[in-house]
Amino acid sequence: MISVNVNGKEESIDVPPETPLLWVVRDSLGLTGSKFGCGAGLCGACTVHVNGEAVRSCVTPVKDVVGRKVTTIEGLSPDNGHPVQKAWIAHDVPQCGYCQSGMIMAVSALLAKKPNPTDRDIDASITNLCRCATYHRIREATHTAAKTKSVGGRKA
Amino acid sequence: MKTPTRYSASRRRFLAGLAGLAGGATGLIIPLRLSFAQQASGAGAAALAQVTPWIRIGPDESVVLYMSQAEMGQGIRTGLAQVLADELEADWNRIRLENAPVAAPYQITIRGFSGQFTAASSSMTLLYEPLRNAGAGAREMLTEAAARAWQVPAAECVARNGFISHKASRRKLSYGTLAAAASTLPIPGNPKLKSRGEFRYIGKPLRRLDTPSKTNGSAMFGIDVRVPDMLHAAIRHCPVFGGKITGYNEQVVKAMPGVRAVVPTQDALIVVAENYWQARAATQALALNVDPGPAGAMASDSLWTALRAGLDTGTPLVARADGDAAQALSGAARTIEAEYRVPYLAHATIEPVNCTADVRSDGCTIWAPTQGPARVKATLANMLKLPPETIKVNVTYVGGGFGRKGQPDFVIEAVLASKAVGRPVKLIWSREEDMRQDFYRPGFVGRYRAGLDASGNLAAVSARIAAQSLLAQLNPRWLRKDRLDETTVEGTSDVPYAIPNFLVEGVNVEGPVRLGWLRSIGHGPNAFMVESFMDEVAHAAGSDPYQFRRVLLKNDKRALAVLDAAAKAARWGRKMPPGRALGIAYHTYVGRAEIYHTRSAQVAEVSVAADGKLRVHSIYAAVDCGTVVNPRLVEAQVQGSIGWGLSAVLKGKITFADGQVQQSNFHDYPLLMLAEMPKIHVKLVDGGGPPAGMGEGTVPPTAPAVANAIFAATGRRLRSSPLLDFDLKSA
């Protein structure tokens, strides 16, 4: 049995320790907000936070997060209230939406580290793939969220 | 103006419906507001009145709009809801969307092919008028219901935002109150539609209805479906086209943790296990023995050789013949000739194909991100030998479609797995399988020749394009009698340029690659070729590429307006620093069976550094797509199409060796990244007319606009894609 802390809750999971965190989160815990896109850490659809850092969960064995705090998209806020989520809604960012959980987790992790990222910072940090090419709205919404946070918006 | 006698509803039924309004005229008191439990159960269902097949209204004022089309990012569900809700005069805040079942009222038809499908960018074009009629009809039924309750003429009643009111007597009734009575009335055959000035939702930039659920992880895609008692499955197909799996590591795999069964299909092995990770691990241990079959030696080189040979030795089928191009070319003052090619492409939806199936002895339920639920239903009924009404198809959100998810193959596989194990099974393809077992966009080669007269005017164009025939594989009934495949030549054969002598021929070349509909079909490849060629001709004639096209579009005012708008937005002709330039392209996207015309022009602004690094800075796009139901959604489609098209032209290619696809994941089939996304300026040009498709309409011009800009910046003419395959380092 492996003990993991996901979205503030201690969970006991009966899986081999090499099982990717993505499948633990999706199948063992039923949190399907984090998505499977490539299984190789290339697309970012599986991005979650581990101790606040953006991590691609499809290539992270669950044993590597024992003793750490895992946050999935479901744990970011109970009500779409996170500044990044609010910005996402204000800009109508998603199209098909499949990559967006991972995007939001990547962007929120970036903003926690760099509250006022430049376009260069965003280019370098946000390497998640979006097939619908919503990238321009992702960029705009990231700047909007940065402004919100800097004037006292809810912390990540 | 309608009088009550036009309606031939059963008086008793109508009075029963009115009982709640009139205080029990029949002696029955029907509660106006049922509890949720009563609504959910069949007993209360009558109160959530099915006013028309598209609209149900509840006593709690909720307005359920049925959605027959799949939402795959194009925003169609929000758009169609706007159309229904506007004519209905519903309160937008009360709207709820539900999947329509696969049933007759929701069918659309393209060239004799009827069904429920989300494809060919046809949804809004084909449903705009039907949904306006459905909404308006329901509005009239609700109005009539109120008129009868009040005993006043319907003409004196006004529908507005979920209420019918009668000004003279200052009375008002809500849709929720009226819906039961309204649903007993016959649906008007010819309701009065709103005039354009009366629209409250159509034409407005309303926000997408699905944004919140796609922002908090709650939106359910096919891959997210969970049903009780469900097992999980992974799959390995025979990696060689047309080959066979002859053996595998059966004892080892069946003994692996969690494995419940290995289900063979015609060309694959499906491993069913307790969870996906176990199924996946087991598929990796299969150690397939493969009989490669006839295509075992196929490779990209041999394919391209065959395609090029097709230009010379294949049977050219005439798609267009204006004037006498051969003669005009032989007499031309100057001829220009060029050959182009575009590669095979994969769909690469970020959500890989998947399906959850629950097969029972007396029926089958599936959940899938499918673009073709009617085809799925018919296929499964036939396959399982069950009556169609026992097949239930649940359409989920689609994490990218682009045509791939209209194929029923992955549904059939899940069904076979469920049938074999007697439990629900969720089958998920790995990225590797999704990449290597796709239904590919075929590769094209095109040879173009142009003749200029002594004054430098374009006198003749002759084009011959060769490709594997898509229609021969997918829909042979749509081949012309002589087997001309329209998808091979579309985008060249239908250019709106005034070319006095114009010959376009298509050649079908046999090939082993499995083909599929991929966003922009033949238009994407042809636009790259013909618009690059037009650019070459313009330069050869010493003409400005924008002005050259202006002259050729003189007979098409709508095309001209779009071309001019793009050039204006880009400030065409402005001075640019060395290594930086503009390129222009125009395209009319003639929809399948000519159901619409979408006109778009794009100007690409690129720079090429001394070290060869290419940057696409901006795309200036102008588009005329007729009536715009939601400008916000249309703009997003333009921007998304351009970004999608840039992935294709800059990076996309599928290659083959030993009869297999060589690419397997995003490291060798890369996509455009955020850092590479240009600024996109969109100008919507109002040409009037019905809504034209926007799923694909603005994909074609991007590739040639970029290639033309690279030429303008460097003098290098790139005649194939992906463009990043070329070293653009200055000599």
Side-chain angles (χ1 to χ4, degrees):
Chain A
M1 294 294 271
I2 304 222
S3 187
V4 288
N5 184 304
V6 179
N7 297 334
K9 222 174 133 209
E10 288 296 329
E11 309 274 6
S12 242
I13 326 265
D14 187 11
V15 290
E18 298 303 322
T19 307
L21 175 60
L22 176 66
W23 297 107
V24 169
V25 149
R26 287 182 59 84
D27 289 347
S28 309
L29 299 179
L31 297 168
T32 55
S34 309
K35 306 300 185 195
F36 169 68
C38 70
L42 296 165
C43 76
C46 65
T47 305
V48 299
H49 294 169
V50 178
N51 284 356
E53 300 273 332
V55 163
R56 294 193 174 176
S57 62
C58 74
V59 290
T60 304
V62 67
K63 68 175 164 64
D64 286 3
V65 304
V66 170
R68 301 187 175 150
K69 286 167 120 68
V70 176
T71 311
T72 69
I73 183 73
E74 292 90 344
L76 202 60
S77 80
D79 57 359
N80 260 330
H82 189 282
V84 174
Q85 289 172 315
K86 283 180 156 163
W88 245 241
I89 290 171
H91 288 268
D92 253 345
V93 174
Q95 284 198 248
C96 90
Y98 193 74
C99 76
Q100 300 293 344
S101 297
M103 278 297 175
I104 289 166
M105 298 309 279
V107 167
S108 54
L110 169 65
L111 291 177
K113 273 213 297 264
K114 283 199 163 123
N116 279 298
T118 62
D119 279 336
R120 285 280 109 72
D121 293 329
I122 295 171
D123 286 353
S125 305
I126 307 305
T127 57
N128 299 43
L129 298 179
C130 175
R131 196 82 171 97
C132 300
T134 64
Y135 294 128
H136 51 299
R137 287 197 297 281
I138 291 168
R139 188 192 293 285
E140 286 164 17
T142 301
H143 286 305
T144 296
K147 286 197 199 76
T148 317
K149 279 164 82 81
S150 73
V151 295
R154 188 190 308 191
K155 279 196 196 306
Chain B
M1 305 255 205
K2 293 178 179 68
T3 59
T5 53
R6 244 192 95 185
Y7 294 89
S8 57
S10 135
R11 188 138 177 82
R12 197 169 342 144
R13 262 192 312 145
F14 183 76
L15 283 177
L18 274 182
L21 307 171
T26 62
L28 276 169
I29 310 289
I30 296 173
L32 293 177
R33 292 184 184 277
L34 299 182
S35 70
F36 181 80
Q38 281 171 307
Q39 282 179 51
S41 76
L48 197 73
Q50 190 88 47
V51 182
T52 83
W54 295 95
I55 297 164
R56 274 176 106 180
I57 300 174
D60 63 350
E61 306 302 332
S62 61
V63 176
V64 174
L65 303 178
Y66 284 90
M67 293 287 119
S68 58
Q69 306 306 101
E71 178 54 68
M72 44 189 182
Q74 79 282 51
I76 193 63
R77 287 191 167 200
T78 299
L80 294 176
Q82 285 173 248
V83 176
L84 275 166
D86 205 331
E87 290 287 359
L88 174 60
E89 265 300 330
D91 179 346
W92 186 247
N93 297 315
R94 300 284 192 180
I95 299 300
R96 238 174 57 217
L97 304 185
E98 281 183 20
N99 275 356
V102 176
Y106 313 106
Q107 288 200 345
I108 49 177
T109 302
I110 295 182
R111 197 188 275 149
F113 179 78
S114 286
Q116 240 150 298
F117 49 86
T118 309
S121 301
S122 59
S123 300
M124 186 56 80
T125 296
L126 296 179
L127 287 170
Y128 184 63
E129 289 296 326
L131 292 196
R132 287 188 67 190
N133 277 283
R139 184 184 80 230
E140 289 187 353
M141 291 158 80
L142 291 156
T143 305
E144 178 63 25
R148 291 190 189 193
W150 292 326
Q151 308 264 293
V152 300
E156 290 178 11
C157 302
V158 172
R160 176 86 179 177
N161 212 47
F163 286 88
I164 307 291
S165 55
H166 185 245
K167 195 169 175 189
S169 62
R170 290 202 248 124
R171 282 179 289 183
K172 194 160 131 161
L173 282 170
S174 73
Y175 282 11
T177 313
L178 292 161
S183 68
T184 67
L185 301 174
I187 298 167
N190 205 18
K192 185 167 192 295
L193 302 181
K194 285 185 172 184
S195 67
R196 198 167 163 170
E198 293 175 302
F199 288 153
R200 295 202 298 123
Y201 306 137
I202 295 171
K204 304 288 186 276
L206 300 190
R207 293 174 171 287
R208 295 181 69 112
L209 293 169
D210 51 354
T211 295
S213 68
K214 290 176 175 177
T215 297
N216 67 8
S218 67
M220 195 178 74
F221 295 83
I223 204 172
D224 301 325
V225 169
R226 288 159 65 85
V227 301
D229 211 34
M230 185 175 83
L231 291 171
H232 297 251
I235 191 168
R236 286 283 302 282
H237 298 80
C238 177
V240 182
F241 290 112
K244 285 253 166 291
I245 296 172
T246 54
Y248 70 98
N249 226 347
E250 187 170 355
Q251 279 203 308
V252 166
V253 169
K254 283 187 172 169
M256 285 179 70
V259 172
R260 291 304 204 92
V262 179
V263 181
T265 72
Q266 211 174 353
D267 63 345
L269 292 169
I270 306 172
V271 178
V272 183
E274 297 285 340
N275 66 46
Y276 176 73
W277 191 244
Q278 290 168 333
R280 156 86 176 158
T283 55
Q284 290 180 297
L286 283 169
L288 299 177
N289 288 330
V290 170
D291 169 7
M298 185 268 284
S300 284
D301 283 348
S302 55
L303 262 183
W304 286 119
T305 300
L307 287 169
R308 289 203 66 228
L311 291 176
D312 294 310
T313 60
T315 308
L317 303 167
V318 176
R320 184 165 178 176
D322 301 340
D324 188 335
Q327 185 176 70
L329 281 166
S330 65
R334 179 154 175 208
T335 57
I336 301 106
E337 177 163 332
E339 222 171 87
Y340 303 88
R341 86 178 197 198
V342 287
Y344 287 74
L345 288 182
H347 292 82
T349 59
I350 308 284
E351 178 198 28
V353 295
N354 63 83
C355 174
T356 302
D358 183 0
V359 179
R360 312 277 172 116
S361 58
D362 59 353
C364 171
T365 303
I366 72 111
W367 296 258
T370 176
Q371 294 175 236
R375 183 174 170 193
V376 162
K377 182 168 170 165
T379 302
L380 295 184
N382 186 48
M383 187 179 125
L384 295 169
K385 311 259 183 289
L386 287 171
E389 57 270 19
T390 67
I391 312 290
K392 189 159 195 310
V393 180
N394 296 297
V395 179
T396 64
Y397 279 120
V398 181
F402 316 127
R404 173 63 180 95
K405 290 169 178 166
Q407 297 294 343
D409 61 309
F410 54 95
V411 176
I412 292 167
E413 289 167 347
V415 164
L416 289 172
S418 173
K419 188 159 197 266
V421 300
R423 278 172 66 172
V425 172
K426 175 159 74 174
L427 168 68
I428 301 172
W429 285 29
S430 65
R431 173 56 50 193
E432 291 78 12
E433 286 295 300
D434 194 283
M435 188 72 71
R436 313 183 96 176
Q437 298 292 331
D438 199 344
F439 291 68
Y440 300 91
R441 199 280 305 276
F444 286 62
V445 289
R447 181 180 298 149
Y448 291 73
R449 297 180 68 211
L452 300 174
D453 67 19
S455 313
N457 300 311
L458 182 61
V461 171
S462 167
R464 187 177 289 178
I465 301 129
Q468 276 186 253
S469 168
L470 180 74
L471 292 181
Q473 284 192 26
L474 298 182
N475 202 341
R477 272 176 301 175
W478 282 358
L479 288 168
R480 207 170 63 183
K481 274 209 187 68
D482 60 357
R483 293 186 74 79
L484 172 70
D485 186 327
E486 69 195 38
T487 69
T488 300
V489 294
E490 65 191 11
T492 296
S493 61
D494 44 18
V495 292
Y497 294 132
I499 304 167
N501 301 283
F502 190 25
L503 174 69
V504 181
E505 297 167 318
V507 180
N508 298 335
V509 176
E510 290 290 313
V513 181
R514 183 167 76 171
L515 304 179
W517 303 99
L518 182 135
R519 191 181 193 184
S520 84
I521 319 302
H523 288 275
N526 272 277
F528 174 77
M529 298 190 293
V530 75
E531 281 297 285
S532 294
F533 185 63
M534 282 304 174
D535 211 64
E536 294 205 49
V537 176
H539 284 288
S543 285
D544 171 277
Y546 162 48
Q547 293 302 332
F548 187 74
R549 285 174 174 79
R550 278 206 103 249
V551 170
L552 293 172
L553 288 176
K554 61 182 182 236
N555 298 332
D556 190 332
K557 282 196 165 52
R558 286 179 83 161
L560 210 44
V562 166
L563 183 74
D564 286 342
K568 183 169 175 207
R571 290 169 294 131
W572 182 268
R574 63 186 146 104
K575 204 155 185 335
M576 313 214 66
R580 188 163 176 138
L582 302 178
I584 193 165
Y586 175 81
H587 191 74
T588 294
Y589 198 113
V590 181
R592 192 62 50 213
E594 297 177 46
I595 58 174
Y596 61 77
H597 289 72
T598 300
R599 297 171 171 85
S600 78
Q602 290 173 27
V603 175
E605 181 168 347
V606 315
S607 65
V608 181
D611 66 356
K613 185 159 163 66
L614 168 71
R615 276 209 65 197
V616 182
H617 298 280
S618 296
I619 304 278
Y620 301 88
V623 58
D624 171 0
C625 57
T627 295
V628 172
V629 171
N630 186 325
R632 203 175 162 97
L633 294 176
V634 166
E635 185 182 65
Q637 279 292 77
V638 178
Q639 293 160 333
S641 295
I642 289 170
W644 192 93
L646 282 172
S647 274
V649 72
L650 295 177
K651 308 189 184 192
K653 81 177 166 198
I654 288 291
T655 59
F656 309 91
D658 303 321
Q660 304 181 41
V661 171
Q662 293 186 291
Q663 287 72 26
S664 63
N665 211 312
F666 294 120
H667 63 293
D668 53 14
Y669 195 79
L671 303 178
L672 194 77
M673 317 260 314
L674 183 148
E676 298 165 319
M677 182 79 170
K679 287 191 168 52
I680 301 177
H681 310 265
V682 180
K683 177 93 179 78
L684 299 185
V685 177
D686 186 2
M694 280 302 291
E696 299 163 279
T698 53
V699 169
T702 307
V706 170
N708 294 341
I710 291 171
F711 176 77
T714 65
R716 292 274 308 270
R717 175 59 65 181
L718 305 184
R719 295 194 178 129
S720 68
S721 64
L723 300 179
L724 291 180
D725 268 4
F726 293 92
D727 181 355
L728 295 174
K729 206 177 8 244
S730 27

